[in-house]
Amino acid sequence: MDHLRIIRDIELKNYKPIYVLMGEEPYFIDLVTECIEDKVLDEASKAFGQTIVYGRDVNMEQIVSLAKGFPMMGDKQVIIVKEAQDMKDWKKADDLKPLEHYIQHPTPSTILVFAYKNKTLDKRTKIYKAIDKIGLVFDSQPIRDYKLPEWIEGYIGQRGYKIQKNAAHLLAEYLGTDLSKVVNEINKLAIILLAGTNITAQHIEENIGISKDYNVWELQKALAQKDILKSNRIIHYFEANPKSNPIQMVIPSLYSYFSKMAMYISLPDKKNAAAELGISPYGLNDYKEAATKYSAPKVERIISYLRETDKKAKGVDNYSVENGELMKELVFKILH
């Protein structure tokens, strides 16, 4: 079950007695938690019927004691354990016994929520199976890199806007898969732009500060085309704007790109190349073009250049060369 279905069920008052919201993507966990926090009880009932605690401050016995209580107002009480992964009790079977006993006879008027971020419960354990049987376990998975532009398009559509594909890719490339950060920047645009606007790269450049011409994505395209002039223009821009385009962001992006290029070149059958590389069909053309300009041995050397530059940027065997110079040297080696 995805987060939208869970939220829809909550809004329809189809509640579960216990929720475990776990996984590597905290954004979706926060959305579901906030929905329960905001929608289950009205404002008057929250003061007496809603309890929010943090995992590092409580143990399972205390949580179960709260869950066994009854609401002072209304017909429901909500217990939310945020940062539940910080509870030490998950590691010992004996410490979980209070929860096991509670699950056998949960209080009908209680909704118990564990927000268990960046980790997952072992699905083989007794406690997981017990919770899954009577409650809801949501495994929040991160959006893969190649699906992020599509996700951005969908989210922007929900907000009542449209976005051009190149603009969605620009946001994805620059902001990465931190969905909270992506959503925050999109929400800034929603404040500024009229509803229904078709968001372009120009809008992003003017309002978020991401250059539509000087970014990692454009550098990758320039390198794929072996466009020496454009590549050097972008690198000079990066040197002049180090905070917007830090080398610590550029190198991992280029490493991922050339690693996928190596995979593409090695594929005997390229019909399903997009799926094999984990990229969108929209981004495949860059790899097709690059494959005509770079040999497999050259790509292998480029990957080694990237590793070497990454070490130097971190100060390994480098005591004086600035990051801007490291990037210029790297791009020269890639292109020549």
Side-chain angles (χ1 to χ4, degrees):
M1 183 180 293
D2 65 24
H3 70 287
L4 293 176
R5 283 183 60 194
I6 299 171
I7 289 171
R8 185 163 60 247
D9 281 349
I10 293 166
E11 291 174 342
L12 292 172
K13 300 187 183 301
N14 296 327
Y15 306 130
K16 298 290 185 180
I18 181 169
Y19 294 81
V20 172
L21 313 172
M22 65 182 192
E24 296 178 26
E25 180 46 72
Y27 174 72
F28 297 128
I29 294 173
D30 286 340
L31 279 185
V32 177
T33 304
E34 287 168 10
C35 180
I36 294 171
E37 190 175 336
D38 294 340
K39 302 288 186 181
V40 175
L41 301 179
D42 59 34
E43 290 303 319
S45 301
K46 285 180 184 177
F48 300 100
Q50 184 160 280
T51 302
I52 298 174
V53 296
Y54 288 83
R56 64 180 177 273
D57 301 324
V58 293
N59 59 43
M60 200 63 74
E61 191 171 349
Q62 291 170 321
I63 295 301
V64 168
S65 178
L66 288 170
K68 286 180 177 178
F70 293 92
M72 294 179 63
M73 293 179 62
D75 59 354
K76 290 288 181 187
Q77 74 161 346
V78 176
I79 312 294
I80 299 175
V81 185
K82 295 187 176 182
E83 308 296 339
Q85 72 280 357
D86 292 338
M87 295 179 68
K88 298 177 181 178
D89 306 63
W90 300 109
K91 298 177 182 179
K92 295 181 180 179
D94 286 346
D95 292 338
L96 290 172
K97 284 183 179 178
L99 182 60
E100 287 179 17
H101 294 151
Y102 175 78
I103 290 170
Q104 293 173 13
H105 302 285
T107 306
S109 57
T110 295
I111 297 172
L112 175 58
V113 182
F114 292 98
Y116 193 93
K117 292 183 179 179
N118 301 309
K119 296 181 180 181
T120 57
L121 294 177
D122 188 338
K123 295 181 180 181
R124 299 166 297 180
T125 59
K126 183 178 178 181
I127 193 68
Y128 177 94
K129 292 175 182 177
I131 295 169
D132 193 41
K133 187 175 181 179
I134 70 142
L136 185 146
V137 181
F138 169 54
D139 190 354
S140 180
Q141 294 294 319
I143 301 295
R144 296 188 176 223
D145 291 354
Y146 72 97
K147 287 190 174 182
L148 184 56
E150 180 184 345
W151 188 88
I152 288 172
E153 289 181 45
Y155 180 79
I156 284 176
Q158 292 171 19
R159 294 297 311 268
Y161 295 82
K162 298 178 182 178
I163 187 168
Q164 294 180 357
K165 284 192 177 296
N166 68 325
H169 277 267
L170 178 59
L171 273 178
E173 193 69 45
Y174 188 81
L175 297 175
T177 55
D178 183 341
L179 294 188
S180 296
K181 188 176 180 181
V182 172
V183 166
N184 185 52
E185 295 300 334
I186 291 172
N187 290 343
K188 288 180 185 177
L189 287 174
I191 293 170
I192 298 165
L193 303 177
L194 293 173
T197 299
N198 188 7
I199 298 170
T200 65
Q202 188 70 31
H203 288 127
I204 292 168
E205 181 171 11
E206 291 174 353
N207 297 293
I208 296 180
I210 306 171
S211 172
K212 69 181 190 301
D213 297 316
Y214 299 100
N215 56 71
V216 176
W217 192 39
E218 288 298 321
L219 177 60
Q220 288 175 181
K221 288 170 65 177
L223 292 173
Q225 297 162 6
K226 279 204 169 181
D227 188 330
I228 295 173
L229 180 59
K230 185 176 180 181
S231 297
N232 282 305
R233 281 177 178 168
I234 293 172
I235 288 301
H236 282 289
Y237 179 87
F238 286 3
E239 184 179 25
N241 298 272
K243 290 184 179 180
S244 299
N245 302 276
I247 194 169
Q248 293 80 7
M249 182 185 80
V250 175
I251 290 179
S253 183
L254 291 180
Y255 185 86
S256 174
Y257 177 73
F258 280 101
S259 296
K260 288 175 181 175
M261 189 189 297
M263 289 175 60
Y264 178 81
I265 292 171
S266 68
L267 288 174
D269 182 359
K270 295 181 171 53
K271 289 181 181 178
N272 298 314
E276 292 281 349
L277 270 62
I279 62 173
S280 67
Y282 178 82
L284 191 60
N285 288 335
D286 287 348
Y287 293 92
K288 288 181 180 178
E289 183 167 8
T292 66
K293 301 185 185 321
Y294 292 91
S295 66
K298 175 63 175 178
V299 174
E300 288 181 13
R301 290 198 298 276
I302 289 170
I303 291 172
S304 70
Y305 299 152
L306 286 161
R307 289 184 179 132
E308 181 184 349
T309 304
D310 181 55
K311 288 180 180 178
K312 288 182 178 179
K314 292 173 180 175
V316 179
D317 297 327
N318 174 40
Y319 303 100
S320 59
V321 182
E322 298 291 335
N323 287 344
E325 292 301 318
L326 287 175
M327 283 302 307
K328 289 177 187 175
E329 180 185 3
L330 173 64
V331 168
F332 179 87
K333 288 179 177 179
I334 290 172
L335 291 170
H336 296 88

